[in-house]
Amino acid sequence: MSEQRKIPNFLKFLFGAAAGMAGTCIVHPLDLIKNRMQLSGMGGTQKEYRNMFHAMQIVGQREGLPGFYRGLSAGLLRQVTYTGTRLGVYTYLFERFKSYDGKPPGFLTKVAIGMFAGLSGAFVGTPAEVSLIRMTADGRLPIEERRNYAGVSNALIRIYREEGLFTLWKGATPTMGRAIAVNAAQLGTYSQAKEMVASHMALKEGIGLHFLAAMISGFITSVVSMPLDIAKTRLQNMKTVGGKAEFKGPVDVLIQLKKKEGFFALWKGFLPYYLRIGPHTVFVFIFLEQFNRAYFKFKYGDSGTGSGSL
């Protein structure tokens, strides 16, 4: 393939954001349930939900169908900032590290690229992440304690005005730590799983191959990243009472969580987390691959995989 047949860098970011937003529209209810379950039983109090299905029942009874999409605007903004950045950086670096004969980079290089892409995306996306956590958690609070953000823009403005600029980056450390773990696992193992599945199962390039590779990647990602995700969720949702915060930092969250709720609480809400991250990984990569193919078809009159393919 000639050197000119590449997806422009700005389109890599645009396609990444669009793929993330499309995936989020489908799996947002699971993200909400995951966040609610991770906040349940804080401080050793009685758990609000027995399991994922009980949480879904409670949300449905109390808030109706719209309750499952509470905070969707923040979720979409998160995809524009976080996913757009991380996939844009990843696909750009993936292309740059290809060998001269067009072979993809090795597994360790993919992992390193994924880690850097995740770190970049997490820093850019933390304000949207803080808004998302708070908006999805609001419905579980007593009416008098709810923040009642009108939307993601209202959330960002109020957080800035009421709590200061740096509150928008509250939990940035575990967010970036989680992103490093997620992207090292997700982006690195997706590309590797795709190659292995294609080789061992003789699957051709297509949605079936993308689906299997993404579900394998999603499971590994969930196991590795969930403790950091819980630390991030609790830090970003916490309130400061009388000038004293509930947690000193991400390590304190994990220590208190293990001490008060048990070791396996580090993976509290694993099922909705995996059912969210697995299909979201599937949808994001499927949409991204299709956007890439559509570009080559529109630009060059074919559906070649080109340098923008993962």
Side-chain angles (χ1 to χ4, degrees), residues 95-118:
E95 173 188 315
R96 298 289 296 179
F97 280 92
K98 279 185 175 179
S99 63
Y100 289 109
D101 58 0
K103 290 183 179 179
F107 177 69
L108 292 179
T109 302
K110 291 172 189 170
V111 171
I113 291 172
M115 292 169 68
F116 181 77

Side-chain angles (χ1 to χ4, degrees), residues 23-177:
T24 289
C25 287
I26 297 171
V27 305
H28 183 78
L30 288 167
D31 206 21
L32 181 139
I33 294 299
K34 182 267 297 183
N35 289 338
R36 297 279 180 95
M37 291 183 71
Q38 288 183 343
L39 294 169
S40 174
M42 282 183 64
T45 58
Q46 184 176 358
K47 294 180 181 179
E48 298 170 66
Y49 315 112
R50 293 190 296 271
N51 51 49
M52 181 185 79
F53 303 105
H54 183 233
M56 294 174 68
Q57 180 185 358
I58 296 298
V59 172
Q61 289 175 346
R62 293 179 180 174
E63 303 169 59
L65 182 61
F68 288 99
Y69 286 89
R70 187 187 292 267
L72 178 60
S73 60
L76 294 176
L77 178 62
R78 179 180 181 274
Q79 296 306 316
V80 172
T81 54
Y82 169 64
T83 302
T85 300
R86 75 182 180 107
L87 289 181
V89 169
Y90 183 78
T91 52
Y92 171 77
L93 292 177
F94 189 91
E95 173 188 315
R96 298 289 296 179
F97 280 92
K98 279 185 175 179
S99 63
Y100 289 109
D101 58 0
K103 290 183 179 179
F107 177 69
L108 292 179
T109 302
K110 291 172 189 170
V111 171
I113 291 172
M115 292 169 68
F116 181 77
L119 182 68
S120 304
F123 181 79
V124 174
T126 295
E129 182 85 27
V130 173
S131 302
L132 174 63
I133 295 301
R134 293 186 173 195
M135 292 175 73
T136 55
D138 219 29
R140 63 181 285 274
L141 297 173
I143 294 177
E144 65 275 9
E145 294 182 19
R146 293 179 185 177
R147 295 181 171 99
N148 293 316
Y149 297 131
V152 66
S153 58
N154 177 249
L156 294 171
I157 292 170
R158 281 182 52 191
I159 291 170
Y160 168 69
R161 287 178 177 174
E162 297 170 10
E163 303 174 60
L165 176 65
F166 292 109
T167 304
L168 291 169
W169 275 270
K170 180 183 285 185
T173 299
T175 298
M176 290 189 288

Side-chain angles (χ1 to χ4, degrees), residues 232-246:
K232 169 195 70 68
T233 298
R234 294 200 174 186
L235 278 172
Q236 291 173 336
N237 188 64
M238 74 177 179
K239 294 182 177 181
T240 302
V241 181
K244 186 177 181 181
E246 294 177 77

